[in-house]
Amino acid sequence: MAPDGFYRVALGVEYKGSRYSGWQRQLTGVATVQEELEKALSKVANSPVSLQCAGRTDAGVHACGQVVHFDTQVDRSLKAWVMGANINLPHDISVSWAKVMPAHFHARFKAIARRYRYVIYNDQIRPAHLNEEITWNHRPLDVERMAEAAQYLIGTHDFSAFRAGQCQAKSPIKKMHHLRVTRHGKMIVLDIRANAFLHHMVRNIAGVLMTIGAGERPVEWMKEVLESRERRSGGVTAHPYGLYLVQVEYHDEFPLPERFIGPHFLTGFSELDG
């Protein structure tokens, strides 16, 4: 709950994570998205601002649908929060909207689903453009095999085999709502929606899917990895650069402004909608 005399503001945030050590502020003085955003908002408020986010992204991971909230006593218009923050933010972080929320809203604990996209550039030649915003895989990948393997993960499962050793989640059991694999020219998009995610879960799934897509393992290997519940059976962790937090969902009592599902360079592919 927001303290008495304070009101709670939610923000939509997007960022390129390449030069940050993840979302969460750290004691070592390394650059993080949270620190940059808190500094910018504190200038707008002329007082300290402390943020809570919907999902703490790792080093190198991007977001175009991150949701955060903070409590403040300062009277500012919603436009002032957005424009004021953006004036004070570096070029690779942007606030897209602001909204006053009920006092019991919480960006993280009230979220009911999160959605990520992992973007693979599939060609023999490494790309000169977007090289920190997509993952390059030079091996020809069979999207149909990848899509077939992905179906083993739909539903409620113990995802321990896709969980990083340093994961702090209380339970490895998550509900996967969808996992779609589609090709768009040279790009392959993994679109993953679940109630919550474990540390490195999407990147570990992407690593298994690319191994299957390259023909190095059979489609059924996905089922074997899942049922093993052991991380060492799941192959390599895919690079962070292609990973985007694209959407966070809440119950209807917490309506938020709607924007396109990113990242920006995929918005022209209508078949990704939905």
Side-chain angles (χ1 to χ4, degrees):
M1 296 287 289
D4 289 343
F6 286 73
Y7 68 101
R8 182 155 291 183
V9 180
L11 303 177
V13 184
E14 56 186 53
Y15 48 86
K16 179 181 176 181
S18 307
R19 69 184 187 96
Y20 297 101
S21 296
W23 159 266
Q24 190 170 6
R25 177 191 289 273
Q26 300 183 26
L27 297 177
T28 56
V30 298
T32 66
V33 179
Q34 181 180 9
E35 182 177 10
E36 292 291 345
L37 191 54
E38 286 179 345
K39 286 193 303 185
L41 290 166
S42 296
K43 290 180 180 179
V44 179
N46 199 29
S47 61
V49 169
S50 178
L51 294 170
Q52 298 288 334
C53 76
R56 293 176 292 183
T57 52
D58 293 335
V61 175
H62 316 297
C64 37
Q66 177 73 275
V67 177
V68 306
H69 82 257
F70 63 94
D71 297 328
T72 184
Q73 292 179 300
V74 176
D75 184 16
R76 298 284 188 272
S77 69
L78 297 180
K79 183 177 180 180
W81 287 121
V82 174
M83 302 306 293
N86 286 338
I87 289 172
N88 290 287
L89 281 168
H91 68 280
D92 47 9
I93 305 175
S94 180
V95 174
S96 52
W97 53 261
K99 184 173 182 180
V100 177
M101 300 299 293
H104 63 290
F105 171 81
H106 194 287
R108 179 183 176 190
F109 297 123
K110 292 298 184 178
I112 58 173
R114 295 162 177 86
R115 185 174 176 181
Y116 284 84
R117 282 178 173 172
Y118 192 84
V119 186
I120 305 161
Y121 183 80
N122 191 208
D123 189 70
Q124 289 185 336
I125 306 300
R126 62 176 176 82
H129 305 289
L130 299 177
N131 63 329
E132 292 184 334
E133 295 167 68
I134 55 177
T135 287
W136 171 50
N137 194 315
H138 69 278
R139 303 168 297 178
L141 299 179
D142 187 327
V143 170
E144 291 185 2
R145 284 170 53 86
M146 295 168 69
E148 183 179 354
Q151 298 311 301
Y152 287 113
L153 302 183
I154 305 303
T156 302
H157 303 285
D158 182 330
F159 284 94
S160 293
F162 302 97
R163 177 181 190 170
Q166 62 270 41
C167 181
Q168 299 178 357
K170 293 181 180 179
S171 171
I173 298 175
K174 305 298 175 188
K175 183 176 182 180
M176 182 80 71
H177 299 296
H178 75 235
L179 174 43
R180 302 166 184 157
V181 185
T182 54
R183 179 181 284 277
H184 312 272
K186 295 291 186 180
M187 288 190 289
I188 297 172
V189 180
L190 314 182
D191 190 315
I192 307 178
R193 178 175 173 266
N195 65 328
F197 290 85
L198 303 169
H199 192 202
H200 285 178
M201 180 172 160
V202 177
R203 291 170 58 191
N204 290 331
I205 289 172
V208 170
L209 286 175
M210 284 190 280
T211 300
I212 292 172
E216 297 177 4
R217 291 280 192 160
V219 169
E220 295 75 21
W221 185 51
M222 178 65 83
K223 184 173 185 290
E224 295 173 12
V225 171
L226 176 67
E227 293 179 348
S228 76
R229 299 181 182 178
E230 295 182 355
R231 175 67 201 112
R232 64 176 179 267
S233 68
V236 300
T237 301
H239 293 294
Y241 283 167
L243 182 56
Y244 295 79
L245 173 61
V246 299
Q247 188 179 35
V248 184
E249 298 176 45
Y250 300 89
H251 286 298
D252 291 343
E253 66 174 311
F254 303 120
L256 296 177
E258 293 187 6
R259 277 173 59 84
F260 55 82
I261 305 297
H264 297 280
F265 57 85
L266 294 181
T267 55
F269 300 124
S270 59
E271 59 269 35
L272 282 172
D273 294 341

